[in-house]
Amino acid sequence: TLSWSASPDEAGGERDVSKYTLYRRLSTEANFNGDPIASIAAGFPTYTHDDLIGSGTYVYAVAATDCGRLLSAPVQSLPVTMP
């Protein structure tokens, strides 16, 4: 289960966060390639996402997406090992 708090721009600042975009990569890969694994609509103080993936070690990233479809700099997790 991934969890994160709302971006400061969601309820303050520019108030233009429309969704959060989630990415996953193997820990042995250098970059997040391909399509996001999920997009979560904004509007809550905290968020969670259950990722149903097989065994391996993964790194996740979440980026806030504004109403113009621009993404913030992604925030990465530490490596997560799935049994």
Side-chain angles (χ1 to χ4, degrees), residues 8-34:
D9 273 349
E10 183 177 335
E14 293 186 22
R15 297 180 188 255
D16 64 347
V17 174
S18 63
K19 65 182 176 180
Y20 294 91
T21 306
L22 305 174
Y23 298 91
R24 173 186 62 230
R25 66 174 170 81
L26 288 168
S27 63
T28 55
E29 296 175 348
N31 298 307
F32 293 95
N33 297 317

Side-chain angles (χ1 to χ4, degrees), residues 31-62:
N31 298 307
F32 293 95
N33 297 317
D35 294 329
I37 61 168
S39 292
I40 310 294
F44 303 95
T46 59
Y47 298 87
T48 61
H49 175 76
D50 290 329
D51 189 25
L52 305 174
I53 189 71
S55 62
T57 301
Y58 301 93
V59 176
Y60 292 89
V62 61

